[in-house]
């Protein structure tokens, strides 16, 4: 008898990880993604093998505090509980003045908040300028007990920031940072987030395969 079709026990799976390839835009001056095949079945080898060179701040990725704070935790030391569990996607479009719209406290109904600005749609081009969170956003997230902030922009700080104040304030508030997620197919609402960083010792970041689970 044919094996019965297995049902997905997690409901709808929304992939919020941009595809990674040589075309993926990285921060200007950072190491681009490159994949080579030192061994290939197509060339007559017995196996195919891949070698990748890249910045770890690539695509959907987690920033470790060691990225911006001397002596702080690297990525393998981050508590995994922050990266899996109830989450909410909140629409916060970019306003005419270039700022991100305010977030209502009532919208924060889960401890993991993903901010959808919808302003970065072509991930093969790094935006010269992009909107950033302001002090009010960060203060609200901290006061609301949020443990993870995700955003669909290159960074939680402005492109020209050297001090990275939002990174520091989020870290001080115990809020994990998930950057460059793709929320185009994730309407505002409640989900379960899974975005576990790799166990890379000493690393300042880790790419993740971030997904949102939505009960059917």
């Amino acid at each position: 008898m044919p094996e019965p079709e297995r049902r997905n026990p997690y409901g709808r799976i929304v992939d919020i990880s941009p595809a990674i390839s040589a075309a993926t835009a990285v921060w200007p001056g950072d190491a681009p993604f490159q994949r080579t095949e030192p061994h290939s079945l197509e060339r007559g080898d017995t196996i195919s093998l891949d070698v990748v060179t890249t910045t770890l701040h690539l695509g959907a990725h987690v920033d470790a505090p060691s990225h911006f704070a001397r002596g702080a935790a690297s990525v393998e030391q981050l508590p995994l509980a922050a990266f899996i569990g109830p989450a909410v996607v909140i629409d916060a479009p970019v306003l005419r003045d270039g700022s991100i719209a305010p977030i209502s406290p009532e919208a924060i109904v889960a401890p993991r908040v993903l901010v959808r600005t919808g302003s970065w749609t072509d991930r093969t081009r790094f935006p010269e300028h992009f909107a950033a969170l302001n002090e009010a956003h960060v203060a609200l997230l901290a006061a609301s007990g949020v443990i993870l902030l995700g955003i669909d922009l290159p960074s939680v700080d402005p492109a020209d920031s050297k001090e990275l104040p939002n990174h520091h304030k989020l870290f001080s508030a115990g809020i994990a940072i998930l950057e460059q997620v793709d929320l185009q197919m994730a309407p505002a609402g409640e989900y379960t987030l899974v975005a576990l960083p790799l166990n890379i010792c000493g690393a300042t970041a880790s790419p993740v395969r971030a997904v949102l689970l939505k009960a059917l």
Side-chain angles (χ1 to χ4, degrees):
M1 294 181 60
E3 183 178 353
E5 182 180 356
R6 294 182 179 179
R7 298 188 60 186
N8 172 18
Y10 305 109
R12 185 164 64 95
I13 300 176
V14 183
D15 191 352
I16 59 171
S17 307
I20 292 175
S21 73
T24 301
V26 299
W27 201 277
D30 213 342
F33 177 86
Q34 294 183 328
R35 184 183 69 86
T36 58
E37 291 186 351
H39 298 280
S40 170
L41 290 169
E42 298 299 319
R43 295 197 301 266
D45 295 328
T46 57
I47 56 172
S48 289
L49 291 177
D50 304 279
V51 173
V52 168
T53 58
T54 183
T55 174
L56 292 178
H57 298 262
L58 178 76
H61 69 272
V62 168
D63 272 356
S66 61
H67 172 45
F68 50 87
R70 186 186 300 273
S74 49
V75 74
E76 85 282 6
Q77 298 172 315
L78 298 178
L80 293 182
F83 304 100
I84 181 168
V88 60
V89 174
I90 297 175
D91 280 328
V94 177
L95 304 177
R96 289 186 177 181
D97 64 0
S99 65
I100 296 176
I103 296 174
S104 168
E106 289 73 26
I108 302 178
V109 295
R112 298 163 189 82
V113 171
L114 304 178
V115 176
R116 187 172 77 157
T117 70
S119 59
W120 188 21
T121 56
D122 183 0
R123 297 304 175 96
T124 66
R125 301 185 65 180
F126 195 90
E128 184 177 353
H129 302 287
F130 52 85
L133 300 171
N134 58 38
E135 292 184 6
H137 290 125
V138 177
L140 174 61
L141 294 168
S144 302
V146 170
I147 62 173
L148 176 140
L149 169 68
I151 197 162
D152 61 355
L153 293 171
S155 175
V156 296
D157 275 298
D160 59 354
S161 176
K162 303 300 182 185
E163 288 76 25
L164 304 181
N166 289 339
H167 279 81
H168 285 277
K169 290 174 183 177
L170 292 167
F171 171 46
S172 296
I175 301 174
I177 299 171
L178 176 61
E179 295 174 330
Q180 301 188 22
V181 290
D182 183 354
L183 299 173
Q184 294 182 76
M185 303 304 294
E190 296 181 58
Y191 300 85
T192 297
L193 171 70
V194 182
L196 298 173
L198 299 175
N199 195 12
I200 307 175
C201 295
T204 63
S206 171
V208 299
R209 185 65 180 264
V211 299
L212 295 172
L213 310 180
K214 187 73 170 179
L216 296 177

